[in-house]
Amino acid sequence: MTDALFYLFAAMSLLFGFLVVANPFSRNPVTSVMFLVLTIVSLAGLFVLLHAFFLAAVQVLVYAGAVMVLFLFVIMLLNIAEETKRRIKLFGALTGLGTVGGLAALLTHTLWNSGIPTPMNPSLEGETKLLGQVLFTQYLLPFEIVSILILVAMVGVILLSKRELK
Amino acid sequence: MQALLDILTNHREVAMSLAKIVAVLAVLLPMVAYSVLAERKLSALIQNRVGPNRVALPLIGGIPILGPFLTRLGFWQPLADGLKSFLKEDFTPAHVRKAYFWLAPALALVPAFMTMAVIPFGSFLGRERMVLADLNVGILYTFGIVSLGVYGIVLAGYAANSKYPFLGGIRSSAQLISYEIAMGMSVVPVFMLVGDLNLSKVIAYQSDGLTSWLVFKQPVAFVIFMVAAFAETNRLPFDLPESETELVGGYHTEYSSMKFALFFMGEYSNMIASSAMMVTLFLGGWTLPFFGLNATPNEDGAIWMGLAHIGIFLAKVMCLLVVFIWVRWMLPRFRYDQLMDLGWRRFIPLGLANIVVTAVILFLQAKQ
């Protein structure tokens, strides 16, 4: 049952991910955004199968619910008539494929050398409290650095959106 | 048929889950229909009118006192409304984007139903827990699903491919995202007190009598959550996405017949879902601090106790629905800049301050 669901969600995320970048039926950016939402939801399904309920919920909440809505918002406000007519350029396709190939090589190399993965700590499964404890003790420094990064991004956005600072 | 029965007897859990889903929908859909009626009757009361009082059924209308009473109450009006929605012409304007035009009404309705999955609507009935999915991350699931609800409205505005629905869609996406943040901030102190994200645990925390209800422990959080719920469900005073006086009806201007009815049902199911959330988070869920009804019954508790808990939950939800309707006919609509100002400059700082204050109090309590 779990295996079948894994293959289902994995196939769905690959298919929808493909349709985001190269949809043969529509070059409409809004359609791409909607397929990206479906990709994210399929990935959340994979997280659920790994018993990472917290990650799954946050994935849907933050990416599908907030970030993609803002994407949609911006795309709807832009003039998308030109975008639908744009052809795929050879240079873009080549560099894109090159990047994907490089990442895939890196990933297979890492997986190949890491051997059989040890089963993860079962006490972490779906427990938000334990996740928080690990985050605020063992990984406190990276957590705080990420927080500061987000703060810097926020300050940057405010600085950019204000034409003149009073 | 025999094979189906075999599956149901062998997989009791699956069978019970299916039965519960059917039962929840069987209660939810009539509730949606009758909250529309309640809206019309209450608005009539507030504006000194009579409201719907004409629809009568052939046989029941003939019963001496009951028949005319039900007719005056408008009891059959939802039937007439539903029939009208089905029989009206389903018109698709030529200029719309077809795929999204068809997708949007469904996307508006489905998330509202899905939020019901984690809400505990009763204690035990026999040996069965009265919740569809007792998730560890219940509240996060709800917020995730609620945040998907915006797609229905945004895509409806986009699909219509005309100016007013588009403005409605843009307004709604800005409004929903803004108030989602305030809503998320407001519930953090609740879970700091409870110490768990599971909604059943939240109710267990509140079963120590009236003073343990979180509405009294976290009044600020309750007010923020309630106002944000009004904004999230597009209800007056925050119905700017559809404000009919300036946008002709906003995102559902181009919709007719059953597709329009789906948006309508989505709005009312959203109201019911957020009322159920408020009851669970702040008003003690299915508990009542009288007659020993707040005790969690054990697995073989009395059936009447389980039924009473479901009744209490439904009664609380209905009280909040009346508040939703009441507010709509009492307050004028906000201006858009006022709406954004209230969300970003009042509620989000207030919610953050509430988190800090609660954290300090909890810290001092822990030190003693």
Side-chain angles (χ1 to χ4, degrees), chain B residues 46-73:
Chain B
I46 286 166
Q47 298 174 335
N48 208 6
R49 293 185 284 113
V50 183
N53 66 340
R54 291 300 153 97
V55 185
L57 287 190
L59 279 174
I60 302 168
I63 302 171
I65 299 167
L66 187 70
F69 174 72
L70 287 180
T71 302
R72 267 208 311 283
L73 207 64

Side-chain angles (χ1 to χ4, degrees), chain A residues 9 11 13-14 21 25-26 76-77 86 90 95 105 111 120 126 128 138 157 166:
Chain A
F9 281 120
S13 33
L14 285 177
V21 282
F25 304 107
S26 161
M76 276 163 64
L77 283 176
R86 205 170 63 111
L90 186 66
T95 46
L111 286 178
M120 60 176 184
T128 325
Q138 203 177 341
V157 165
K166 277 179 224 159

Side-chain angles (χ1 to χ4, degrees), chain A residues 6-28:
Chain A
F6 169 78
Y7 286 117
L8 178 72
F9 281 120
M12 268 163 62
S13 33
L14 285 177
L15 175 71
F16 294 141
F18 180 76
L19 288 175
V20 174
V21 282
N23 189 340
F25 304 107
S26 161
R27 301 273 300 138
N28 187 342

